[in-house]
């Protein structure tokens, strides 16, 4: 057998301790079924504090707003709503908010305890979404001139207080540099901002421009530096017009480091290319190449996967961005914000849910083909565990039902429970420490950011994963409750769940 090709998940202490409690995890799936999503509300509070530390290091004020679309969990949003700003609300602290991208998310955030002054409405907005945002006093990141006009009309028609708006900009360029930000279907091109500011002035009795925003679909620090400097130039123009902007919202896109070992990532991608070129036995189902293919001894295409090993991610990525020199002005971006007394707003989604959850799936059947391949069918499907659909390659963790001898590592293809040839939870051979057995669990780690809810549905009347909130009770014992039954007072010592 060839050497196993592992892509071991990065685990921090809380998630690792949970995986070291197999009887607890098996009791959860026995009670709530498979698949099962587990969230760790206290971890998201820790992640917020790490972002707040970056703000403090650069002496910046502003808001860290969770991008709600990353996860539907009530427990995570309620835990965030209970957090105070860093420093207990003192001047210059980074407050905690939520970014909502639909009417349902806005209603959910309000119901979870967020007050409107801590909510930012982004994304495409239908009239009902705009109406509730205006009615409650939620800040609106307007996406177009038409959206700003519609919001102003709502305020005027219903006699509401002025709505706070932060126009979303895109298509930035920087004088004297070759760096451009890529084209986006969202936002107003930065070079057309004057027309939007004219509109804000026209409706100044109905809307208050409190800043500008952008969200770039890129991890490139240079592109984000161009966008941040360009946003400051637009804010300077706002001031010249007598408007009073206070903040730049730079969106999210800070990333997550999913893998424990970068060398494993390099080894796997190398062996994948060798397999596609016929230089070793296949390591994927039917020669799947994740965007690559071999043609007459030449590698074609591009590897379409998430860079699983990313040491510069999350708070560290924000730290590096703020230390970048503004392309035209040459000063660090954090200095540029401080000089102008502008607050910094961020909208991390994936990064705030780092290590905040896992998905459990029960092993139903294990078959060995004539070629010696292990096919493992799970009580879950690829829509429940959307890792590969989002381009993430990472190993699950085997959680045995009982400790038994193994026989050494095996490579296995993970099959879903749908009657579809395409329902493969893993198109690559995943190496496990031993062959799994029916009744074992596979734990897919770090699924809280976009992998739990984004693609799940009731295809073929299969159940969608339920969600449980897990936290440490008195004495350090694990406690749980259904996600919708979690409230932050539980972690203060009250108990609505079962201890194991």
């Amino acid at each position: 057998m060839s050497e196993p090709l592992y892509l071991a998940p990065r685990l921090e202490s809380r998630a690792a301790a949970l995986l070291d409690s197999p009887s607890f995890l098996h009791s959860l799936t026995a009670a709530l079924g498979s698949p099962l999503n587990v969230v760790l509300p206290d971890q998201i509070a820790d992640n917020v504090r790490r972002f707040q530390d970056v703000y403090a290091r650069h002496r910046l004020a502003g808001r860290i707003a969770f991008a709600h679309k990353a996860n539907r969990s009530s427990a995570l949003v309620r835990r965030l709503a209970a957090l105070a700003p860093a420093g207990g609300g003192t001047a210059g602290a980074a407050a905690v908010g939520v970014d909502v991208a639909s009417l349902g998310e806005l209603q959910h955030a309000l119901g979870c305890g967020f007050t409107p002054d801590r909510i930012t409405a982004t994304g495409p907005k239908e009239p009902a979404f705009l109406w509730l945002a205006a009615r409650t006093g939620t800040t609106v990141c307007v996406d177009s001139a038409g959206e700003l006009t519609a919001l102003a009309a709502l305020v005027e028609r219903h006699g509401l207080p002025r709505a706070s708006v932060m126009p979303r900009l895109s298509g930035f360029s920087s004088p004297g540099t070759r760096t451009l930000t890529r084209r986006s279907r969202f936002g107003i091109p930065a070079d057309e901002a004057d027309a939007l500011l004219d509109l804000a002035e026209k409706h100044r009795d109905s809307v208050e421009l409190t800043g500008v925003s952008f969200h770039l679909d890129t991890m490139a620090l240079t592109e984000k530096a161009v966008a941040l400097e360009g946003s400051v130039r637009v804010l300077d123009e706002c001031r010249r017009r007598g408007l009073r902007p206070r903040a730049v919202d730079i969106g999210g896109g800070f990333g997550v480091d999913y893998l424990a070992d970068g060398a494993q990532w390099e080894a796997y991608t190398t062996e994948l290319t060798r397999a596609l070129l016929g230089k070793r036995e296949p390591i994927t189902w039917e020669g799947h190449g994740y965007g690559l293919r071999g043609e007459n001894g030449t590698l074609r295409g591009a590897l379409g996967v998430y860079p699983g090993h990313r040491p510069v991610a999350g708070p560290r990525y924000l730290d590096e961005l703020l230390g970048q020199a503004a392309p035209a002005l040459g000063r660090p971006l954090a200095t540029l914000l401080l000089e102008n007394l502008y607050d910094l707003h961020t909208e991390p989604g994936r990064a705030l849910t780092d290590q905040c959850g896992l998905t459990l799936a029960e092993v139903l059947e294990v078959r060995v083909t004539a070629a010696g391949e292990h096919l493992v069918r799970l009580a879950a499907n690829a829509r429940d565990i959307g890792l590969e659909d989002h381009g993430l390659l990472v190993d699950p963790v085997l959680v045995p039902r009982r400790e038994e001898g193994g026989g050494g590592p095996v490579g296995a293809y993970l099959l879903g429970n749908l009657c579809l040839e395409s329902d493969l939870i893993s198109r690559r051979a995943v190496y496990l420490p031993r062959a799994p057995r029916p009744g074992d669990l596979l734990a897919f780690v770090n699924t809280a950011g976009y992998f739990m809810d984004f693609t799940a549905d009731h295809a073929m009347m299969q159940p969608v994963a339920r969600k449980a909130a897990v936290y440490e009770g008195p004495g350090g014992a694990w406690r749980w409750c259904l996600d919708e039954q979690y409230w932050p007072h539980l972690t203060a010592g009250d108990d609505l769940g079962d201890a194991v």
Side-chain angles (χ1 to χ4, degrees), residues 43-65:
Q43 183 65 45
I44 202 167
D46 290 348
N47 293 347
V48 165
R49 294 183 189 103
R50 293 172 183 174
F51 272 93
Q52 288 174 328
D53 288 344
V54 175
Y55 275 70
R57 188 155 49 250
H58 292 278
R59 296 175 294 138
L60 291 171
R63 178 186 297 158
I64 302 160

Side-chain angles (χ1 to χ4, degrees), residues 154-184:
L154 277 172
V155 171
E156 293 163 7
R157 186 181 314 127
H158 298 284
L160 302 174
R162 282 201 303 169
S164 172
V165 298
M166 298 182 74
R168 179 170 177 171
L169 305 176
S170 64
F172 296 91
S173 61
S174 183
T177 73
R178 295 177 179 271
T179 303
L180 300 173
T181 60
R182 64 198 65 193
R183 185 180 181 187
S184 172

